[in-house]
Amino acid sequence: MIEIFNQVAEENSKPSYIQTFDARDSSNMMELIAASVSISIYKSLSSSATTDKNENIKEIVIDRFEPLWPTIGHESVLIYSLNLNNTNLSELANENPIYLVPEPIVDKVKVGKNPFNQGNVRAVFKAKSSNDTDIVHKIQSKIQTEDLVRQTIESKYIAPYWAATILAINFEAIRPAEFPSIRYVPISLVQYLERSGTPYCSQEPFIQGHFEKFNNNTGIVLPNPSPRGTNHDIIQAFSHW
């Protein structure tokens, strides 16, 4: 990633803004932050009764219409919120860097009865927080043990988000004015407290508007500039791990 960014900078007659640094093992950044995520969440896990299976969505019925919110009741959830207390990359040299502080929050949410979209392993539901903010809940659509679901959300979604966010914050501090800012959509682990087995899901804000997609999970990357004329080199530098 550093090489991609510096190459773009040099092509624009700029010096290498991002430098490497000596650390215990900087290649393990994702593992270190993943460990910090797991430790922080584990300290605030719900003591609610659980079963050994995650809730299974047996039949997926996609509904792209807006849910009838007045007919949907609230349910209690525990949101495992994490606050970033350290963005210093040099802390990777420490044995046990702790970047995240847990702040679990109990909230009331409404969740649509049917998903409006579906991926290979998750179904995406529209939802509303207690203050009527639009959010989405991404629920595993295949049977897995509850611990495996939680660990998957932590390692595949939450840890990469925080690792990328730390890098983006460090980039923003030295970003040349002509380069775009980088910001990631926040993600949280959520536990349904009133559902059988108190299953887990991930929660993200619902983003309104139209967007360009410059790459995907199968390795496809659009030519630069994009068909709409957008220069997305810097975005690619923050998209590949």
Side-chain angles (χ1 to χ4, degrees), residues 199-218:
Y200 294 102
C201 75
S202 61
Q203 175 177 295
E204 301 174 15
F206 181 81
I207 303 177
Q208 304 280 357
H210 298 281
F211 304 90
E212 282 191 81
K213 188 169 185 176
F214 304 112
N215 56 51
N216 65 20
N217 291 336
T218 64

Side-chain angles (χ1 to χ4, degrees), residues 23-36:
R24 177 168 55 86
D25 187 353
S26 59
S27 65
N28 285 338
M29 179 178 181
M30 286 299 297
E31 288 80 0
L32 291 167
I33 294 178
S36 182

Side-chain angles (χ1 to χ4, degrees), residues 131-194:
N131 61 3
D132 208 37
T133 299
D134 291 325
I135 53 179
V136 295
H137 280 191
K138 296 184 177 181
I139 301 175
Q140 300 292 120
S141 54
K142 297 180 180 179
I143 292 179
Q144 292 178 308
T145 64
E146 188 177 57
D147 282 345
L148 181 58
V149 170
R150 177 175 59 80
Q151 292 166 12
T152 298
I153 294 173
E154 291 174 10
S155 63
K156 291 188 66 175
Y157 307 114
I158 298 178
Y161 161 74
W162 282 110
T165 295
I166 290 170
L167 289 176
I169 291 172
N170 279 271
F171 166 70
E172 187 66 20
I174 57 174
R175 176 180 62 85
E178 66 273 23
F179 286 3
S181 294
I182 300 295
R183 182 170 60 90
Y184 292 88
V185 175
I187 180 174
S188 298
L189 177 70
V190 168
Q191 187 174 24
Y192 296 107
L193 299 180
E194 298 174 11

Side-chain angles (χ1 to χ4, degrees), residues 50-240:
T50 62
T51 63
D52 62 350
K53 293 290 185 182
N54 184 61
E55 183 178 47
N56 182 43
I57 304 173
K58 295 181 180 179
E59 184 177 351
I60 301 295
V61 178
I62 301 298
D63 183 357
R64 302 192 187 280
F65 291 98
E66 189 69 12
L68 298 175
W69 297 117
T71 67
I72 299 175
H74 286 94
E75 58 180 305
S76 297
V77 295
L78 182 56
I79 304 171
Y80 295 96
S81 297
L82 299 172
N83 285 330
L84 189 64
N85 72 341
N86 189 351
T87 61
N88 187 354
L89 291 176
S90 65
E91 289 296 316
L92 288 176
N94 293 340
E95 284 295 325
N96 296 298
I98 299 298
Y99 289 90
L100 302 163
V101 176
E103 287 195 2
I105 301 169
V106 175
D107 197 10
K108 292 281 189 179
V109 299
K110 290 185 175 185
V111 182
K113 295 181 179 179
N114 293 309
F116 69 92
N117 210 340
Q118 179 190 11
N120 289 331
V121 296
R122 297 189 295 173
V124 188
F125 293 75
K126 288 186 177 180
K128 283 186 177 290
S129 65
S130 57
N131 61 3
D132 208 37
T133 299
D134 291 325
I135 53 179
V136 295
H137 280 191
K138 296 184 177 181
I139 301 175
Q140 300 292 120
S141 54
K142 297 180 180 179
I143 292 179
Q144 292 178 308
T145 64
E146 188 177 57
D147 282 345
L148 181 58
V149 170
R150 177 175 59 80
Q151 292 166 12
T152 298
I153 294 173
E154 291 174 10
S155 63
K156 291 188 66 175
Y157 307 114
I158 298 178
Y161 161 74
W162 282 110
T165 295
I166 290 170
L167 289 176
I169 291 172
N170 279 271
F171 166 70
E172 187 66 20
I174 57 174
R175 176 180 62 85
E178 66 273 23
F179 286 3
S181 294
I182 300 295
R183 182 170 60 90
Y184 292 88
V185 175
I187 180 174
S188 298
L189 177 70
V190 168
Q191 187 174 24
Y192 296 107
L193 299 180
E194 298 174 11
R195 298 190 184 187
S196 175
T198 59
Y200 294 102
C201 75
S202 61
Q203 175 177 295
E204 301 174 15
F206 181 81
I207 303 177
Q208 304 280 357
H210 298 281
F211 304 90
E212 282 191 81
K213 188 169 185 176
F214 304 112
N215 56 51
N216 65 20
N217 291 336
T218 64
I220 295 176
V221 177
L222 287 183
N224 190 59
S226 73
R228 295 186 179 182
T230 304
N231 187 315
H232 55 89
D233 271 343
I234 298 305
I235 294 173
Q236 300 305 332
F238 281 85
S239 297
H240 305 280

